[in-house]
Amino acid sequence: MLEEIAIEDLGVIRAARVPLAPGLTVITGETGAGKTMVLTGLGLLMGGKADPGTIRSGADRAVVEGRWDLARHPAAARRVDDAGGTVDDDGSVVVLRTVAGGRSRAHLGGRGVPQGVLAEIADDLVTVHGQSDQLRLRTPAKQRAALDRFAGADHAAVLVEHRAAWAERAALQAEIDDLTSRAAERAREAELLRLGLAEVERIDPQPGEDVELATLVARLGNAEQLRQAAQLAHDAVAGEDMDTEGSAVHAVERARRSLESVVADDPGLEDPARRLAEAGYLLADIATELSGYVADLQADPAALETAHARLAELGTLTRSYGSSIDEVLQWASDAGLRLLDLDDGGGRLEGMRERVAELDEQVADLAARVTAGRTDAAGQLAAAVTAELAGLAMSGARLEIEVSAADPGPAGADQVTFLLVPHPGAPARPLGKGASGGELSRVMLAVEVALATAADEAADTVLPTFVFDEVDAGVGGRAAVEVGRRLASLARSTQVVVVTHLAQVAAFADTHLVVTKSAGDDGDATVTGVRAVSDDERVRELARMLSGQDDSETARRHAVELIESSVVGR
């Protein structure tokens, strides 16, 4: 439910707060007072396109703020949470829309969001019927959707199953078509993979082999330099033998003996002496290791040539399949799996075709059930709407709903057509052709009342807020009274907001808001305000709507009569 709208500097409205209550709320006012701007503000809150031209003259921006009660709309509350917004503890959320220059900003629950997010959420919260979209039920898709809504929860569940099966079948068929059309390409890919895997298998690289060979080549290719460096290091550490004077081993040993000779006089030298002994052992080990390295290091031209040849062989792999042998081996692993997938294409195709055949039967069965549900609901909805039309001063008019075969699709294999017979003897014509604006308004209202009545019987159905912008256009007299009665009936199930110019409709309001205009402080600009009226003020407003004069006693008596009769007629 929409609880309120606050508007600043939008069109002729400088600042206005529009309180909205449950039941039927009517908005009235003189032509040009700014009633349309209220709906324009609502459109912005619903994610509609922002028009900089609607900013009030002299202002630099327009601001519209609204509060939605989402207590009965958990899906919408979750969408707010997903968008990063915050739903208040009472289940309400604040929506803010700002229009400045050529830019527009939207905020949902305190978080900036794209305007499309507002549109997604509002789609489940409100349904608007304006003068420009009286024919919204003209398209077959909209008519089919309306019939599906009327058909109830069981029908909706079958329709969900059908859409899921259709989607699965479409995805499988697309994959089959792809596999079939790319058969030659897949065969070429498989052949290239086989050649590459055969080359890897022939060369048989080992993990890290290229790194090890590179180290060996560097060692064998620089054997003399390595031998000289190792020999110099050995001589510096140990000399020709361990007792050579001037060697590191000899120097450390002299230092150790010097400290050990006096350690009895000062135990503090015991630790340095011990560490010097450890250093001597370490240097001796290094000397032994270097001596063995020099003895073992020999130039081996044959081994060097063999290593170079093996590196060259491995290079043919790293140039094609990876920058290192480890990457080549990973490629081979992935290529083997891909080859299995490619070679299994025939088996997969057969399996997918069998599944498509199963889904064809499933889709056909579900489509038949959808058609049966629509056919059954079509007669009931047509009868319900026809009954409503009789009460809307269209006695003799009737709605026919035709369910005919159509190309299969996600929504079934039906085309739904709403046909209107405006009076006895007239041919049935598609809705929107040959009917006046007033008749279309009443048909639309009758359909909504019938849908709302059906939804009200389903305990788990939550209706959106309905907004009607002069749905009574082209209607007068007794028909206008019946329009008001039907709107009041619809408002027993959900919130209904109506912009009207007919007192007969406004008399049924639970909440009556009046849009007024006056000169601004500067004497030039027009200022629009919105106020709730009741009792005598409401009688005066209805009198103005009836006669154009709010002080006419005759009009006031008629207004009182309308209010009293609306209470009795509900």
Side-chain angles (χ1 to χ4, degrees):
M1 187 184 80
L2 183 59
E3 295 182 336
E4 66 176 2
I5 302 175
I7 301 173
E8 294 180 13
D9 295 322
L10 184 68
V12 295
I13 300 178
R14 175 176 290 176
R17 185 168 294 274
V18 184
L20 298 170
L24 176 60
T25 298
V26 299
I27 301 174
T28 65
E30 295 182 2
T31 301
K35 300 188 297 295
T36 301
M37 283 300 105
V38 175
L39 295 185
T40 299
L42 175 60
L44 289 173
L45 295 180
M46 293 172 58
K49 184 178 180 180
D51 180 5
T54 59
I55 299 175
R56 177 179 167 80
S57 178
D60 57 359
R61 66 173 187 169
V63 179
V64 183
E65 180 181 307
R67 179 177 289 276
W68 293 97
D69 180 0
L70 304 183
R72 300 184 64 197
H73 295 274
R78 286 193 297 270
R79 186 68 183 89
V80 173
D81 185 65
D82 292 342
T86 301
V87 177
D88 293 342
D89 293 339
D90 62 358
S92 65
V93 64
V94 174
V95 182
L96 181 70
R97 193 75 185 275
T98 304
V99 183
R103 303 187 65 183
S104 166
R105 297 187 182 278
H107 290 80
L108 176 66
R111 176 62 65 89
V113 296
Q115 70 182 57
V117 173
L118 299 187
E120 291 175 10
I121 294 176
D123 190 51
D124 293 329
L125 298 179
V126 63
T127 297
V128 177
H129 301 289
Q131 297 180 54
S132 61
D133 63 350
Q134 286 183 345
L135 305 183
R136 76 180 188 91
L137 289 178
R138 178 173 53 188
T139 65
K142 292 291 186 181
Q143 293 174 7
R144 184 182 63 220
L147 181 59
D148 288 336
R149 281 172 54 199
F150 183 83
D154 291 342
H155 173 78
V158 175
L159 193 54
V160 168
E161 284 188 66
H162 179 275
R163 286 197 176 99
W166 179 274
E168 182 182 353
R169 188 210 180 282
L172 280 174
Q173 188 59 54
E175 190 172 354
I176 290 172
D177 293 342
D178 179 67
L179 288 173
T180 304
S181 64
R182 295 178 56 243
E185 179 183 341
R186 290 168 63 86
R188 286 193 298 270
E189 181 184 357
E191 182 60 24
L192 289 175
L193 289 176
R194 288 190 185 92
L195 291 174
L197 288 171
E199 187 177 15
V200 172
E201 184 178 1
R202 178 183 61 79
I203 295 176
D204 191 23
Q206 301 303 308
E209 184 181 1
D210 53 340
V211 176
E212 294 176 4
L213 284 173
T215 301
L216 178 61
V217 166
R219 183 177 179 221
L220 294 176
N222 298 279
E224 184 58 29
Q225 294 93 320
L226 293 172
R227 189 193 66 76
Q228 290 178 4
Q231 186 63 57
L232 285 173
H234 175 273
D235 292 345
V237 171
E240 295 181 1
D241 56 55
M242 294 294 182
D243 295 326
T244 301
E245 292 189 7
S247 68
V249 171
H250 187 270
V252 169
E253 180 62 18
R254 279 194 301 129
R256 180 187 66 79
R257 289 174 180 175
S258 176
L259 292 181
E260 286 184 346
S261 66
V262 295
V263 73
D265 299 326
D266 186 356
L269 295 175
E270 184 175 348
D271 185 62
R274 179 184 57 77
R275 287 157 62 193
L276 282 170
E278 292 174 354
Y281 300 146
L282 179 60
L283 288 172
D285 288 343
I286 293 174
T288 300
E289 185 175 343
L290 288 173
S291 178
Y293 180 85
V294 171
D296 292 341
L297 185 62
Q298 301 293 332
D300 190 345
L304 180 60
E305 183 177 354
T306 300
H308 273 301
R310 180 59 175 173
L311 272 178
E313 192 175 32
L314 295 177
T316 62
L317 298 179
T318 55
R319 282 192 295 273
S320 300
Y321 310 114
S323 60
S324 66
I325 288 301
D326 286 347
E327 289 186 8
V328 170
L329 293 172
Q330 182 60 53
W331 173 88
S333 176
D334 295 341
L337 294 175
R338 174 60 176 164
L339 188 57
L340 287 175
D341 180 64
L342 293 172
D343 288 342
D344 190 44
R348 287 175 57 211
L349 272 173
E350 182 178 354
M352 285 189 290
R353 286 184 175 127
E354 290 177 356
R355 178 56 181 160
V356 165
E358 294 174 1
L359 287 170
D360 282 339
E361 294 182 6
Q362 185 178 349
V363 167
D365 176 66
L366 289 169
R369 292 169 59 189
V370 168
T371 299
R374 285 172 176 159
T375 302
D376 182 55
Q380 298 178 43
L381 178 58
V385 172
T386 298
E388 290 294 331
L389 291 176
L392 289 170
M394 290 182 67
S395 180
R398 72 176 188 274
L399 182 73
E400 296 179 358
I401 301 178
E402 180 181 275
V403 180
S404 57
D407 292 336
D414 309 312
Q415 177 171 305
V416 176
T417 306
F418 283 20
L419 304 167
L420 178 65
V421 179
H423 52 80
R429 303 191 65 185
L431 196 63
K433 294 183 178 180
S436 67
E439 288 174 330
L440 288 172
S441 297
R442 282 176 278 173
V443 170
M444 182 178 65
L445 178 57
V447 170
E448 291 295 1
V449 170
L451 293 175
T453 301
D456 192 40
E457 295 172 356
D460 59 344
T461 300
V462 179
L463 294 175
T465 292
F466 288 99
V467 179
F468 293 93
D469 181 13
E470 298 196 14
V471 68
D472 48 21
V475 177
R478 187 167 67 87
V481 174
E482 293 304 325
V483 168
R485 196 186 316 279
R486 291 310 185 275
L487 289 170
S489 174
L490 180 60
R492 287 198 292 268
S493 303
T494 188
Q495 184 185 43
V496 178
V497 180
V498 181
V499 176
T500 182
H501 65 282
L502 292 179
Q504 294 95 323
V505 173
F508 284 88
D510 297 303
T511 302
H512 190 157
L513 304 177
V514 179
V515 180
T516 59
K517 63 179 179 179
S518 60
D521 297 336
D522 54 12
D524 294 324
T526 298
V527 178
T528 290
V530 181
R531 73 179 194 280
V533 296
S534 59
D535 301 330
D536 189 60
E537 277 192 308
R538 186 182 181 204
V539 171
R540 291 179 59 187
E541 172 62 11
L542 292 179
R544 181 200 63 78
M545 298 173 70
L546 287 166
S547 68
Q549 300 177 10
D550 57 10
D551 57 354
S552 168
E553 286 301 323
T554 301
R556 287 170 65 88
R557 285 196 300 272
H558 190 187
V560 171
E561 182 182 352
L562 281 176
I563 294 174
E564 292 175 348
S565 63
S566 71
V567 174
V568 174
R570 292 192 180 207

